[in-house]
Amino acid sequence: MIRFEPRQNLSPALAIAAPVAAGVVALALAAIPLAFAGAPIVGAYRLMVEGAFGSLFAFSETLTRTTPLILTGLAAAVAFRARLWNIGAEGQLYAGALAAVAVGSGLIDGPPIVMIPLVLLAGALAGALLMLGPTLLKLKFGADEVVTTLLLNFVMLLFVQMMLEGPLQDPMSLGWPQSAPIIDSAMLPPLLGRMRVHSGLLIGLVAAVAVAIMMRRTVWGAEIRAVGENAPAARYAGIPVTATMVRVALISGGLAGLAGVGEVAGLKGYLTSDLSPGFGYAGIVVAMLAGLSPLGVVAAALFIASVFVGADSMSRGLGVSSYLADLIVALSLLCVLIGGFITRFHIRWAGRAARTVRP
């Protein structure tokens, strides 16, 4: 008979090794469909690495893709730490982008020192408010936030499409559903000349450090961890569970909203309905791969971004489907879940010759 016993102490080395091993195993498993496709395994992965890191341009593209993944990964990590299952980062990203365009496309005109903080604040507030609704429904009526946040993704996307074909449509777009462009003074400055990577990356890095400090060094962080571990016990200990959950919702939604601001005010300059290829959903994988660690989110986001960018390069070089990147991401999540279970529990075999498997 098999028995699972919780580990009393999880060593830092094991906590770090588990997600790293998950990524390696995912890449190894992805070699199987590559082999069936007739692609050389070593050559394929070499093209992936070169496509993601082989030149300054390639690395800048990887960092560009990393930027929204850091913010959506942080959004998921903060919420999941409090056991608030935010599956709506995709919709919150679009809400932030829509608010940034509404404010930054000429509604207010001013210097960059005014416009950039205003656009960032508008996007963060829009994402936060979109997450606040499902959280209040959960707290007041017990509604499942997984369902409500997921459904709001589709509602928000439909609302964005309506706005792009109505009040926010660019009159110069010849009927194409896209917003008016954001004015120059509201655009996030680039980090490298003639490259697409922008200062939204710095915002993501600062946000990761700020969240890490909040979670480990502040009363708010202690309350979030306590609520996530055991909400009834936290309430009994005097922790304001409702206020903590609302605070978590606002932080999580605001971070996802900032991801949308970065995509329109740092990259494209205008909003379209295909702004995100799924950054909100990929942020969940990033958060899980990082073990919900805010600083780990940065490394996990870089890994996922390199997979997507490198897979595009491999696809062009070998004629292999770029959907392999989605397969690797999915396998990474599966391996992380299995690895997380192994790191949290001892596997004991009960019988005449009882023994313990300690991976």
Side-chain angles (χ1 to χ4, degrees), residues 59-101:
F59 186 49
S60 72
E61 285 298 300
T62 301
L63 292 179
T64 301
R65 187 69 70 95
T66 302
T67 300
L69 291 176
I70 291 176
L71 291 165
T72 57
L74 287 173
V78 171
F80 289 4
R81 182 67 72 180
R83 293 189 180 274
L84 180 65
W85 309 113
N86 180 11
I87 314 298
E90 185 80 354
Q92 293 147 25
L93 180 151
Y94 273 100
L98 187 65
V101 166

mmCIF file of all heavy atoms in Angstrom, residues 59-101:
data_model
loop_
_atom_site.group_PDB
_atom_site.id
_atom_site.type_symbol
_atom_site.label_atom_id
_atom_site.label_comp_id
_atom_site.label_asym_id
_atom_site.label_seq_id
_atom_site.Cartn_x
_atom_site.Cartn_y
_atom_site.Cartn_z
ATOM 1 N N PHE A 59 17.773 38.417 -28.213
ATOM 2 C CA PHE A 59 17.608 38.556 -26.771
ATOM 3 C C PHE A 59 16.615 39.669 -26.451
ATOM 4 O O PHE A 59 15.825 39.550 -25.503
ATOM 5 C CB PHE A 59 18.959 38.845 -26.128
ATOM 6 C CG PHE A 59 18.924 38.858 -24.620
ATOM 7 C CD1 PHE A 59 18.322 37.835 -23.912
ATOM 8 C CD2 PHE A 59 19.483 39.916 -23.917
ATOM 9 C CE1 PHE A 59 18.285 37.843 -22.528
ATOM 10 C CE2 PHE A 59 19.444 39.939 -22.534
ATOM 11 C CZ PHE A 59 18.851 38.901 -21.834
ATOM 12 N N SER A 60 16.647 40.748 -27.225
ATOM 13 C CA SER A 60 15.691 41.837 -26.986
ATOM 14 C C SER A 60 14.262 41.376 -27.249
ATOM 15 O O SER A 60 13.333 41.780 -26.541
ATOM 16 C CB SER A 60 16.029 43.047 -27.861
ATOM 17 O OG SER A 60 15.721 42.800 -29.232
ATOM 18 N N GLU A 61 14.071 40.520 -28.249
ATOM 19 C CA GLU A 61 12.728 39.996 -28.506
ATOM 20 C C GLU A 61 12.270 39.089 -27.368
ATOM 21 O O GLU A 61 11.097 39.097 -26.987
ATOM 22 C CB GLU A 61 12.726 39.213 -29.825
ATOM 23 C CG GLU A 61 12.766 40.096 -31.062
ATOM 24 C CD GLU A 61 11.546 40.987 -31.158
ATOM 25 O OE1 GLU A 61 10.416 40.467 -31.224
ATOM 26 O OE2 GLU A 61 11.717 42.223 -31.145
ATOM 27 N N THR A 62 13.206 38.321 -26.816
ATOM 28 C CA THR A 62 12.863 37.477 -25.665
ATOM 29 C C THR A 62 12.467 38.338 -24.477
ATOM 30 O O THR A 62 11.493 38.042 -23.776
ATOM 31 C CB THR A 62 14.049 36.574 -25.295
ATOM 32 O OG1 THR A 62 14.377 35.749 -26.421
ATOM 33 C CG2 THR A 62 13.723 35.682 -24.118
ATOM 34 N N LEU A 63 13.201 39.415 -24.232
ATOM 35 C CA LEU A 63 12.866 40.312 -23.127
ATOM 36 C C LEU A 63 11.532 41.019 -23.373
ATOM 37 O O LEU A 63 10.771 41.265 -22.424
ATOM 38 C CB LEU A 63 13.982 41.345 -22.931
ATOM 39 C CG LEU A 63 15.318 40.814 -22.432
ATOM 40 C CD1 LEU A 63 16.328 41.944 -22.308
ATOM 41 C CD2 LEU A 63 15.155 40.113 -21.085
ATOM 42 N N THR A 64 11.246 41.336 -24.623
ATOM 43 C CA THR A 64 9.958 41.954 -24.952
ATOM 44 C C THR A 64 8.811 41.020 -24.606
ATOM 45 O O THR A 64 7.783 41.438 -24.052
ATOM 46 C CB THR A 64 9.913 42.312 -26.445
ATOM 47 O OG1 THR A 64 10.992 43.208 -26.749
ATOM 48 C CG2 THR A 64 8.593 42.977 -26.809
ATOM 49 N N ARG A 65 8.977 39.727 -24.933
ATOM 50 C CA ARG A 65 7.945 38.746 -24.600
ATOM 51 C C ARG A 65 7.924 38.464 -23.092
ATOM 52 O O ARG A 65 6.875 38.113 -22.545
ATOM 53 C CB ARG A 65 8.204 37.463 -25.381
ATOM 54 C CG ARG A 65 7.124 36.403 -25.278
ATOM 55 C CD ARG A 65 5.855 36.805 -25.982
ATOM 56 N NE ARG A 65 6.014 36.806 -27.403
ATOM 57 C CZ ARG A 65 5.694 35.785 -28.196
ATOM 58 N NH1 ARG A 65 5.207 34.668 -27.667
ATOM 59 N NH2 ARG A 65 5.838 35.879 -29.499
ATOM 60 N N THR A 66 9.058 38.621 -22.428
ATOM 61 C CA THR A 66 9.127 38.370 -20.988
ATOM 62 C C THR A 66 8.332 39.393 -20.193
ATOM 63 O O THR A 66 7.740 39.067 -19.150
ATOM 64 C CB THR A 66 10.600 38.382 -20.515
ATOM 65 O OG1 THR A 66 11.342 37.388 -21.230
ATOM 66 C CG2 THR A 66 10.721 38.124 -19.025
ATOM 67 N N THR A 67 8.295 40.643 -20.670
ATOM 68 C CA THR A 67 7.714 41.749 -19.898
ATOM 69 C C THR A 67 6.281 41.491 -19.447
ATOM 70 O O THR A 67 5.991 41.548 -18.253
ATOM 71 C CB THR A 67 7.810 43.052 -20.706
ATOM 72 O OG1 THR A 67 9.190 43.328 -20.987
ATOM 73 C CG2 THR A 67 7.200 44.215 -19.938
ATOM 74 N N PRO A 68 5.335 41.198 -20.358
ATOM 75 C CA PRO A 68 3.971 40.942 -19.873
ATOM 76 C C PRO A 68 3.859 39.666 -19.054
ATOM 77 O O PRO A 68 2.998 39.566 -18.165
ATOM 78 C CB PRO A 68 3.151 40.850 -21.163
ATOM 79 C CG PRO A 68 4.123 40.456 -22.211
ATOM 80 C CD PRO A 68 5.413 41.116 -21.831
ATOM 81 N N LEU A 69 4.723 38.688 -19.320
ATOM 82 C CA LEU A 69 4.661 37.439 -18.559
ATOM 83 C C LEU A 69 5.079 37.648 -17.105
ATOM 84 O O LEU A 69 4.562 36.980 -16.204
ATOM 85 C CB LEU A 69 5.546 36.383 -19.209
ATOM 86 C CG LEU A 69 5.068 35.855 -20.569
ATOM 87 C CD1 LEU A 69 6.090 34.883 -21.151
ATOM 88 C CD2 LEU A 69 3.714 35.178 -20.443
ATOM 89 N N ILE A 70 6.017 38.561 -16.854
ATOM 90 C CA ILE A 70 6.386 38.871 -15.469
ATOM 91 C C ILE A 70 5.181 39.417 -14.723
ATOM 92 O O ILE A 70 4.858 38.988 -13.601
ATOM 93 C CB ILE A 70 7.546 39.883 -15.426
ATOM 94 C CG1 ILE A 70 8.835 39.246 -15.936
ATOM 95 C CG2 ILE A 70 7.744 40.406 -14.008
ATOM 96 C CD1 ILE A 70 10.007 40.215 -16.019
ATOM 97 N N LEU A 71 4.466 40.356 -15.342
ATOM 98 C CA LEU A 71 3.357 41.021 -14.658
ATOM 99 C C LEU A 71 2.154 40.103 -14.486
ATOM 100 O O LEU A 71 1.533 40.076 -13.424
ATOM 101 C CB LEU A 71 2.976 42.291 -15.423
ATOM 102 C CG LEU A 71 4.047 43.399 -15.350
ATOM 103 C CD1 LEU A 71 3.795 44.477 -16.398
ATOM 104 C CD2 LEU A 71 4.086 44.012 -13.957
ATOM 105 N N THR A 72 1.816 39.330 -15.513
ATOM 106 C CA THR A 72 0.695 38.394 -15.347
ATOM 107 C C THR A 72 1.081 37.242 -14.423
ATOM 108 O O THR A 72 0.242 36.707 -13.699
ATOM 109 C CB THR A 72 0.225 37.844 -16.707
ATOM 110 O OG1 THR A 72 1.326 37.213 -17.388
ATOM 111 C CG2 THR A 72 -0.335 38.954 -17.578
ATOM 112 N N GLY A 73 2.361 36.851 -14.433
ATOM 113 C CA GLY A 73 2.816 35.829 -13.495
ATOM 114 C C GLY A 73 2.738 36.315 -12.060
ATOM 115 O O GLY A 73 2.327 35.578 -11.159
ATOM 116 N N LEU A 74 3.115 37.571 -11.819
ATOM 117 C CA LEU A 74 2.986 38.146 -10.484
ATOM 118 C C LEU A 74 1.526 38.241 -10.067
ATOM 119 O O LEU A 74 1.184 37.993 -8.905
ATOM 120 C CB LEU A 74 3.626 39.538 -10.449
ATOM 121 C CG LEU A 74 5.150 39.599 -10.485
ATOM 122 C CD1 LEU A 74 5.614 41.045 -10.624
ATOM 123 C CD2 LEU A 74 5.751 38.966 -9.230
ATOM 124 N N ALA A 75 0.662 38.601 -11.014
ATOM 125 C CA ALA A 75 -0.768 38.691 -10.713
ATOM 126 C C ALA A 75 -1.304 37.351 -10.230
ATOM 127 O O ALA A 75 -2.045 37.275 -9.240
ATOM 128 C CB ALA A 75 -1.533 39.156 -11.951
ATOM 129 N N ALA A 76 -0.917 36.280 -10.910
ATOM 130 C CA ALA A 76 -1.368 34.949 -10.494
ATOM 131 C C ALA A 76 -0.713 34.529 -9.184
ATOM 132 O O ALA A 76 -1.377 33.955 -8.310
ATOM 133 C CB ALA A 76 -1.051 33.933 -11.593
ATOM 134 N N ALA A 77 0.576 34.822 -9.018
ATOM 135 C CA ALA A 77 1.297 34.387 -7.818
ATOM 136 C C ALA A 77 0.722 35.030 -6.559
ATOM 137 O O ALA A 77 0.531 34.357 -5.537
ATOM 138 C CB ALA A 77 2.784 34.714 -7.951
ATOM 139 N N VAL A 78 0.451 36.334 -6.602
ATOM 140 C CA VAL A 78 -0.104 37.027 -5.439
ATOM 141 C C VAL A 78 -1.475 36.461 -5.087
ATOM 142 O O VAL A 78 -1.773 36.176 -3.916
ATOM 143 C CB VAL A 78 -0.196 38.538 -5.708
ATOM 144 C CG1 VAL A 78 -0.980 39.238 -4.610
ATOM 145 C CG2 VAL A 78 1.194 39.144 -5.813
ATOM 146 N N ALA A 79 -2.323 36.287 -6.096
ATOM 147 C CA ALA A 79 -3.671 35.785 -5.837
ATOM 148 C C ALA A 79 -3.643 34.348 -5.330
ATOM 149 O O ALA A 79 -4.328 33.993 -4.364
ATOM 150 C CB ALA A 79 -4.514 35.894 -7.102
ATOM 151 N N PHE A 80 -2.853 33.506 -5.967
ATOM 152 C CA PHE A 80 -2.810 32.103 -5.575
ATOM 153 C C PHE A 80 -2.244 31.932 -4.169
ATOM 154 O O PHE A 80 -2.605 30.995 -3.457
ATOM 155 C CB PHE A 80 -1.971 31.299 -6.562
ATOM 156 C CG PHE A 80 -2.609 31.123 -7.916
ATOM 157 C CD1 PHE A 80 -3.820 31.731 -8.228
ATOM 158 C CD2 PHE A 80 -1.991 30.363 -8.889
ATOM 159 C CE1 PHE A 80 -4.406 31.574 -9.474
ATOM 160 C CE2 PHE A 80 -2.565 30.189 -10.144
ATOM 161 C CZ PHE A 80 -3.781 30.801 -10.434
ATOM 162 N N ARG A 81 -1.341 32.833 -3.761
ATOM 163 C CA ARG A 81 -0.774 32.734 -2.424
ATOM 164 C C ARG A 81 -1.865 32.876 -1.356
ATOM 165 O O ARG A 81 -1.779 32.283 -0.281
ATOM 166 C CB ARG A 81 0.291 33.815 -2.239
ATOM 167 C CG ARG A 81 0.987 33.788 -0.906
ATOM 168 C CD ARG A 81 1.834 32.554 -0.738
ATOM 169 N NE ARG A 81 3.040 32.589 -1.558
ATOM 170 C CZ ARG A 81 3.953 31.631 -1.587
ATOM 171 N NH1 ARG A 81 3.765 30.539 -0.847
ATOM 172 N NH2 ARG A 81 5.022 31.715 -2.347
ATOM 173 N N ALA A 82 -2.912 33.645 -1.670
ATOM 174 C CA ALA A 82 -4.040 33.805 -0.751
ATOM 175 C C ALA A 82 -5.177 32.844 -1.078
ATOM 176 O O ALA A 82 -6.276 33.000 -0.546
ATOM 177 C CB ALA A 82 -4.543 35.244 -0.794
ATOM 178 N N ARG A 83 -4.932 31.888 -1.952
ATOM 179 C CA ARG A 83 -5.959 30.950 -2.429
ATOM 180 C C ARG A 83 -7.148 31.684 -3.049
ATOM 181 O O ARG A 83 -8.299 31.289 -2.887
ATOM 182 C CB ARG A 83 -6.424 30.024 -1.295
ATOM 183 C CG ARG A 83 -5.339 29.075 -0.828
ATOM 184 C CD ARG A 83 -5.866 28.024 0.122
ATOM 185 N NE ARG A 83 -4.784 27.131 0.558
ATOM 186 C CZ ARG A 83 -4.366 26.052 -0.086
ATOM 187 N NH1 ARG A 83 -4.966 25.722 -1.218
ATOM 188 N NH2 ARG A 83 -3.384 25.309 0.383
ATOM 189 N N LEU A 84 -6.835 32.741 -3.764
ATOM 190 C CA LEU A 84 -7.812 33.431 -4.597
ATOM 191 C C LEU A 84 -7.431 33.094 -6.037
ATOM 192 O O LEU A 84 -6.436 33.586 -6.558
ATOM 193 C CB LEU A 84 -7.761 34.940 -4.357
ATOM 194 C CG LEU A 84 -8.723 35.806 -5.161
ATOM 195 C CD1 LEU A 84 -10.177 35.495 -4.787
ATOM 196 C CD2 LEU A 84 -8.440 37.289 -4.933
ATOM 197 N N TRP A 85 -8.226 32.250 -6.667
ATOM 198 C CA TRP A 85 -7.816 31.655 -7.946
ATOM 199 C C TRP A 85 -8.188 32.578 -9.097
ATOM 200 O O TRP A 85 -9.246 32.475 -9.687
ATOM 201 C CB TRP A 85 -8.439 30.271 -8.096
ATOM 202 C CG TRP A 85 -8.204 29.405 -6.902
ATOM 203 C CD1 TRP A 85 -9.136 28.949 -6.018
ATOM 204 C CD2 TRP A 85 -6.941 28.914 -6.427
ATOM 205 N NE1 TRP A 85 -8.540 28.205 -5.036
ATOM 206 C CE2 TRP A 85 -7.187 28.169 -5.257
ATOM 207 C CE3 TRP A 85 -5.629 29.041 -6.866
ATOM 208 C CZ2 TRP A 85 -6.181 27.556 -4.535
ATOM 209 C CZ3 TRP A 85 -4.614 28.420 -6.147
ATOM 210 C CH2 TRP A 85 -4.899 27.694 -5.009
ATOM 211 N N ASN A 86 -7.278 33.479 -9.395
ATOM 212 C CA ASN A 86 -7.489 34.461 -10.459
ATOM 213 C C ASN A 86 -7.106 33.848 -11.804
ATOM 214 O O ASN A 86 -5.932 33.739 -12.146
ATOM 215 C CB ASN A 86 -6.652 35.714 -10.185
ATOM 216 C CG ASN A 86 -6.822 36.770 -11.263
ATOM 217 O OD1 ASN A 86 -7.710 36.674 -12.109
ATOM 218 N ND2 ASN A 86 -5.989 37.790 -11.234
ATOM 219 N N ILE A 87 -8.123 33.453 -12.579
ATOM 220 C CA ILE A 87 -7.903 32.930 -13.926
ATOM 221 C C ILE A 87 -8.214 34.021 -14.958
ATOM 222 O O ILE A 87 -8.262 33.765 -16.149
ATOM 223 C CB ILE A 87 -8.797 31.680 -14.171
ATOM 224 C CG1 ILE A 87 -8.716 30.729 -12.979
ATOM 225 C CG2 ILE A 87 -8.359 30.923 -15.419
ATOM 226 C CD1 ILE A 87 -7.337 30.172 -12.712
ATOM 227 N N GLY A 88 -8.425 35.233 -14.493
ATOM 228 C CA GLY A 88 -8.882 36.310 -15.363
ATOM 229 C C GLY A 88 -7.829 37.322 -15.731
ATOM 230 O O GLY A 88 -8.176 38.444 -16.133
ATOM 231 N N ALA A 89 -6.544 36.986 -15.619
ATOM 232 C CA ALA A 89 -5.501 37.956 -15.948
ATOM 233 C C ALA A 89 -5.565 38.389 -17.408
ATOM 234 O O ALA A 89 -5.186 39.521 -17.740
ATOM 235 C CB ALA A 89 -4.126 37.385 -15.625
ATOM 236 N N GLU A 90 -6.065 37.515 -18.281
ATOM 237 C CA GLU A 90 -6.180 37.885 -19.693
ATOM 238 C C GLU A 90 -7.169 39.040 -19.861
ATOM 239 O O GLU A 90 -6.885 40.033 -20.549
ATOM 240 C CB GLU A 90 -6.631 36.670 -20.502
ATOM 241 C CG GLU A 90 -6.681 36.906 -22.010
ATOM 242 C CD GLU A 90 -5.323 36.824 -22.676
ATOM 243 O OE1 GLU A 90 -4.303 36.688 -21.964
ATOM 244 O OE2 GLU A 90 -5.270 36.901 -23.907
ATOM 245 N N GLY A 91 -8.335 38.927 -19.230
ATOM 246 C CA GLY A 91 -9.308 40.010 -19.300
ATOM 247 C C GLY A 91 -8.816 41.260 -18.611
ATOM 248 O O GLY A 91 -9.054 42.385 -19.083
ATOM 249 N N GLN A 92 -8.119 41.116 -17.494
ATOM 250 C CA GLN A 92 -7.577 42.274 -16.779
ATOM 251 C C GLN A 92 -6.496 42.960 -17.604
ATOM 252 O O GLN A 92 -6.358 44.190 -17.559
ATOM 253 C CB GLN A 92 -7.052 41.819 -15.423
ATOM 254 C CG GLN A 92 -8.153 41.346 -14.492
ATOM 255 C CD GLN A 92 -7.730 40.230 -13.563
ATOM 256 O OE1 GLN A 92 -6.534 40.079 -13.250
ATOM 257 N NE2 GLN A 92 -8.673 39.420 -13.106
ATOM 258 N N LEU A 93 -5.721 42.188 -18.348
ATOM 259 C CA LEU A 93 -4.735 42.772 -19.255
ATOM 260 C C LEU A 93 -5.424 43.648 -20.293
ATOM 261 O O LEU A 93 -5.000 44.786 -20.555
ATOM 262 C CB LEU A 93 -3.936 41.659 -19.920
ATOM 263 C CG LEU A 93 -2.836 42.039 -20.910
ATOM 264 C CD1 LEU A 93 -1.739 40.962 -20.895
ATOM 265 C CD2 LEU A 93 -3.337 42.193 -22.342
ATOM 266 N N TYR A 94 -6.507 43.139 -20.892
ATOM 267 C CA TYR A 94 -7.232 43.923 -21.891
ATOM 268 C C TYR A 94 -7.897 45.141 -21.264
ATOM 269 O O TYR A 94 -7.978 46.213 -21.897
ATOM 270 C CB TYR A 94 -8.273 43.053 -22.591
ATOM 271 C CG TYR A 94 -7.726 42.303 -23.776
ATOM 272 C CD1 TYR A 94 -7.373 40.960 -23.686
ATOM 273 C CD2 TYR A 94 -7.559 42.941 -25.001
ATOM 274 C CE1 TYR A 94 -6.866 40.277 -24.771
ATOM 275 C CE2 TYR A 94 -7.055 42.259 -26.097
ATOM 276 C CZ TYR A 94 -6.704 40.924 -25.975
ATOM 277 O OH TYR A 94 -6.193 40.260 -27.063
ATOM 278 N N ALA A 95 -8.382 45.007 -20.025
ATOM 279 C CA ALA A 95 -8.980 46.148 -19.343
ATOM 280 C C ALA A 95 -7.941 47.245 -19.137
ATOM 281 O O ALA A 95 -8.218 48.442 -19.348
ATOM 282 C CB ALA A 95 -9.571 45.714 -18.007
ATOM 283 N N GLY A 96 -6.733 46.866 -18.728
ATOM 284 C CA GLY A 96 -5.669 47.838 -18.557
ATOM 285 C C GLY A 96 -5.274 48.499 -19.859
ATOM 286 O O GLY A 96 -5.046 49.713 -19.917
ATOM 287 N N ALA A 97 -5.210 47.708 -20.926
ATOM 288 C CA ALA A 97 -4.863 48.267 -22.235
ATOM 289 C C ALA A 97 -5.941 49.236 -22.718
ATOM 290 O O ALA A 97 -5.636 50.303 -23.266
ATOM 291 C CB ALA A 97 -4.677 47.142 -23.242
ATOM 292 N N LEU A 98 -7.212 48.876 -22.508
ATOM 293 C CA LEU A 98 -8.307 49.734 -22.930
ATOM 294 C C LEU A 98 -8.293 51.050 -22.176
ATOM 295 O O LEU A 98 -8.486 52.133 -22.766
ATOM 296 C CB LEU A 98 -9.640 49.012 -22.711
ATOM 297 C CG LEU A 98 -10.900 49.695 -23.246
ATOM 298 C CD1 LEU A 98 -10.854 49.779 -24.766
ATOM 299 C CD2 LEU A 98 -12.143 48.937 -22.796
ATOM 300 N N ALA A 99 -8.060 50.997 -20.867
ATOM 301 C CA ALA A 99 -7.996 52.219 -20.073
ATOM 302 C C ALA A 99 -6.814 53.083 -20.495
ATOM 303 O O ALA A 99 -6.918 54.316 -20.555
ATOM 304 C CB ALA A 99 -7.899 51.870 -18.582
ATOM 305 N N ALA A 100 -5.676 52.456 -20.798
ATOM 306 C CA ALA A 100 -4.501 53.211 -21.228
ATOM 307 C C ALA A 100 -4.764 53.944 -22.532
ATOM 308 O O ALA A 100 -4.368 55.110 -22.698
ATOM 309 C CB ALA A 100 -3.313 52.263 -21.387
ATOM 310 N N VAL A 101 -5.451 53.279 -23.454
ATOM 311 C CA VAL A 101 -5.771 53.916 -24.734
ATOM 312 C C VAL A 101 -6.789 55.036 -24.537
ATOM 313 O O VAL A 101 -6.675 56.113 -25.143
ATOM 314 C CB VAL A 101 -6.299 52.862 -25.725
ATOM 315 C CG1 VAL A 101 -6.952 53.522 -26.926
ATOM 316 C CG2 VAL A 101 -5.163 51.963 -26.177
#
